[in-house]
Amino acid sequence: MRILDIREAALPMRSDLRNSVFSFAEMTVSIVAVLTDRMVEGEPVIGYAFNSIGRYACGEPMRARFIPRLTQAPPDTLLDPDGYLDPAKALRCMLVGEKPGGDAARAVPVGTIETALWDAVAKARRLPLAELISRTWRQRPMEARVPCYVGGGWYKPDSKPGDVAEELQRHLDAGYTHMKIKVGGLSLAEDIGRVEEALKLLGGDPQRLSVDVNGRFSTAEALDYASALAPFNLRWFEEPCHPNDFQASAAIAAAYPGALATGENLFSPHDVWNQVRFGGWRADRDYLQMDPPQIYGIATYANLVRDLAADGWGHDRHFPHGGNQMSLALVAGLGLGGCEAYPGFFGAFGGYADDCDVSNGSMPAPQRPGIGFEGQSRLHALMREVAAGWI
């Protein structure tokens, strides 16, 4: 199995959503397509990925460094013993010449390409990526269904506390049972009003609701919110401070008795281990939410879950960020805590396969070979445009 070509294209996300820090109005996304020489059912195997949600398109470093390193490498050096592409060898190849540190500058472009390679390998093996992941890291079949929650409760330009109930009701009607809403974009009193309104809609069960700050607060602000939120006993309080301020994180963990969550803005295993060792995170209650293509890809994520398990972090402590097929493959493959979902958000880039059946707060594992983007008609159409001329 050989790489014949790799392409990247930047596309607008086309979303006017806002969290407590920024609007997605200018956000762009990188789609990657990897053409291989393997044929399945008369068509070339093409691996696809995109760089998830919340990071701008990153094609320049791909084209300048990472794609040429792969396409210029001796083909046999990128293969596993069975003759398939080996994403681990491809990852090492892309990192040749890279200075340690500064992971945020390369983890996303490298991880997006690595994820596309996994899509290609799983398609060549005619397996869902979740099944291939489970066989590789757990030596057992993938999960049949996985829990999922909605990452929502967004702010609008004219947001007011009453807006959140209308949004969450749509998600309940669609089969979701657990929700997450934004806080930090209004006053503390107004945000607490949003929490109370959401809880009323969710039957008063605090374990069905989480809140997300998106890293906006100072330590003092975070502690004020922690004090106000503690009596609610919510499912988790997410990313209250800058993701690399481990001192602030530890201070909040020491003051807040409930569960905390972070990880979507950590870009390497070293970042995650620093969070666990120095950020005060507690393996018995807190959560980690790394984003697969933004932390060097599928294998780095899976290896990190394995290594953290040896340190006392159960698989149920992981809820990968992204709300897409890439995260779903890891949740179903590794038996993680659950998936995030963005139903109706982020245009073609949010959500799962068109035929995905959400019911009672869970969704089925994908059955299509590879990641399963072919089941998302709008997104797959964009991906095929990137691969124009190959098919």
Side-chain angles (χ1 to χ4, degrees), residues 178 187 327 364:
H178 291 66
S187 69
S327 292

Side-chain angles (χ1 to χ4, degrees), residues 74-380:
D76 290 348
T77 65
L78 302 178
L79 302 181
D80 68 13
D82 297 325
Y84 292 94
L85 286 168
D86 186 335
K89 291 181 178 178
L91 177 63
R92 290 194 292 271
C93 176
M94 285 189 281
L95 293 178
V96 170
E98 296 292 314
K99 183 178 180 181
D103 294 281
R106 59 175 172 262
V108 183
V110 168
T112 306
I113 296 170
E114 193 263 12
T115 301
L117 290 170
W118 275 103
D119 185 41
V121 171
K123 287 173 179 173
R125 291 181 178 271
R126 305 191 185 197
L127 291 171
L129 178 57
E131 180 69 17
L132 181 56
I133 288 170
S134 197
R135 292 184 186 184
T136 302
W137 275 273
R138 294 200 299 168
Q139 294 78 54
R140 54 172 287 183
M142 65 182 180
E143 303 296 317
R145 294 187 68 88
V146 299
C148 57
Y149 75 95
V150 173
W154 299 94
Y155 292 113
K156 302 175 182 178
D158 57 348
S159 281
K160 55 187 182 299
D163 292 339
V164 73
E166 180 182 349
E167 180 193 325
L168 298 192
Q169 185 61 58
R170 292 198 306 270
H171 304 323
L172 289 170
D173 294 342
Y176 296 94
T177 57
H178 291 66
M179 313 289 171
K180 183 173 74 180
I181 65 172
K182 302 298 181 183
V183 296
L186 299 174
S187 69
L188 174 55
E190 289 173 308
D191 276 334
I192 292 300
R194 284 164 56 87
V195 169
E196 291 172 338
E197 186 173 7
L199 284 174
K200 183 178 179 181
L201 196 65
L202 297 173
D205 183 353
Q207 289 302 296
R208 293 175 63 188
L209 181 68
S210 305
V211 295
D212 184 5
V213 185
N214 293 105
R216 176 182 178 274
F217 290 152
S218 67
T219 304
E221 290 171 322
L223 290 171
D224 286 343
Y225 266 74
S227 178
L229 290 170
F232 291 104
N233 190 31
L234 300 177
R235 192 180 191 190
W236 68 66
F237 177 23
E238 183 175 330
E239 208 171 44
C241 292
H242 190 285
N244 294 129
D245 190 341
F246 302 121
Q247 184 178 40
S249 175
I252 297 158
Y256 186 68
L260 296 163
T262 195
E264 70 183 75
N265 293 303
L266 301 177
F267 297 101
S268 74
H270 297 89
D271 288 345
V272 177
W273 283 110
N274 281 338
Q275 176 65 45
V276 169
R277 291 165 176 157
F278 308 116
W281 250 225
R282 302 151 298 186
D284 66 334
R285 75 194 76 172
D286 296 328
Y287 296 95
L288 293 166
Q289 305 164 309
M290 294 76 72
D291 193 312
Q294 296 184 8
I295 191 167
Y296 289 108
I298 298 296
T300 298
Y301 194 109
N303 289 335
L304 187 52
V305 168
R306 177 200 62 201
D307 295 343
L308 284 162
D311 201 51
W313 286 82
H315 285 204
D316 62 333
R317 298 290 96 189
H318 296 274
F319 280 76
H321 177 258
N324 54 53
Q325 295 281 131
M326 299 174 287
S327 292
L328 175 56
L330 277 161
V331 173
L334 298 177
L336 305 182
C339 285
E340 188 171 21
Y342 300 132
F345 305 135
F346 302 120
F349 297 97
Y352 298 94
D354 301 343
D355 57 0
C356 179
D357 174 31
V358 177
S359 61
N360 197 29
S362 71
M363 65 175 64
Q367 300 297 318
R368 294 177 175 87
I371 293 171
F373 292 123
E374 289 72 15
Q376 293 178 265
S377 56
R378 292 173 63 199
L379 178 56
H380 190 232

Side-chain angles (χ1 to χ4, degrees), residues 8-13 26-31 50-52 54-63 108-109 112:
E8 181 274 345
L11 287 83
M13 183 168 284
E26 298 180 3
M27 185 65 63
T28 55
V29 184
S30 279
I31 288 179
F50 68 99
N51 66 315
S52 194
R55 294 287 156 184
Y56 288 89
C58 50
E60 182 177 355
M62 291 185 193
R63 287 185 291 274
V108 183
T112 306

